[in-house]
Amino acid sequence: MPELPEVETVVRGLAQTVVGDTIESVWLGSKPEPLKSPAVVIERTLRHARIAAVRRMGKHIVIELDRAHARRPKVRRTRSKTSPGKDTAQFIVHLGMTGQLLVSKPDQELEKHTHLVAQLASGRELRFVDPRRFGRLAVHTRNGFETAGLEPLDVGFEIFVSLFRGRKTPIKSALLNQKLLRGVGNIYADESLFRAGVRPRCCAASLTRDQLRRLYDSIQQVLNQAIAAGGSSVSDYVNAQGEPGFFQFEHRVYGREGEPCLVCSTPVKRVVIAGRSSHYCPLCQK
Ligand SMILES: [Zn+2]
């Protein structure tokens, strides 16, 4: 499942390629699951909108749309140049488990499981492909999109510490709780806990300030390194240009059950915590 570094990589790729472009037409597939807004509303909001910016909130891709010229009939456009910023909207994409948001050339073959194609004035296409259909597409017309949790790369240490105060769940579960930190999922939680030397089952509330400091630093380090590597391609993940990331080669525990720890050679263990696999080294992590 794409986590913060993968979504950030897609966002950066889109920001470089489609910002300033205008959506000319929209095609939507017939599968209802990916559509969190009615198809007709998505189509109407995107059509003729200019892509003003692309940014990330947690695991969500936020595409800021400028519709200042979209709604006015051509004959009246010269007379009504007022109210910039009023005609804005947001196109929100969540990649779910297997979603891909791709910038394609129109002659590239349409992949099976394509749920949206937005034709751009530049001639390129923005395509949403998602075989398992856990991804979501939505539009917000009042720029009101909000999502819970704090950005792990922006949060300060003291606020980070306060998130876990009195929280009697395993630290792994607390890291996956998107209402606390948004964007950290299974891979980066396991990798951060390994680097911090903290076992995933440790009670969040009982972590010492030293442990929390190491965990805070590890999360920052792991996320930044993963973004620099273009994310982890463990299943279907590719960036907006269709290319894989490389951080999977830097994983120290995730997906390495039974393999020797890279620090001490003890076999990496896998346990299930809150229904999710957790990987750790029983010697390096206390
Ligand atoms: Zn070890």
Side-chain angles (χ1 to χ4, degrees), residues 196-243:
V198 174
R199 284 205 189 192
R201 221 192 271 284
C202 266
C203 172
S206 69
L207 291 183
T208 65
R209 202 174 160 84
D210 270 3
Q211 285 178 309
L212 286 168
R213 168 52 78 177
R214 289 204 304 274
L215 183 58
Y216 176 82
D217 291 343
S218 300
I219 291 171
Q220 305 272 323
Q221 188 191 62
V222 165
L223 293 177
N224 280 315
Q225 286 175 357
I227 291 169
S232 301
S233 285
V234 288
S235 60
D236 299 44
Y237 170 74
V238 290
N239 67 15
Q241 283 67 43
E243 304 151 345

Side-chain angles (χ1 to χ4, degrees), residues 194 260-266 281-285:
F194 174 77
C261 168
L262 300 174
V263 173
C264 73
S265 299
T266 305
C281 171
L283 200 64
C284 293
Q285 291 170 258

Side-chain angles (χ1 to χ4, degrees), residues 5 39 52 61 79 157 163 176 199 203 207 209 211 229 244 261 279-280:
I61 299 167
R79 290 203 298 140
F157 178 61
L163 293 177
L176 295 183
R199 284 205 189 192
C203 172
L207 291 183
R209 202 174 160 84
Q211 285 178 309
C261 168
H279 308 78
Y280 71 99

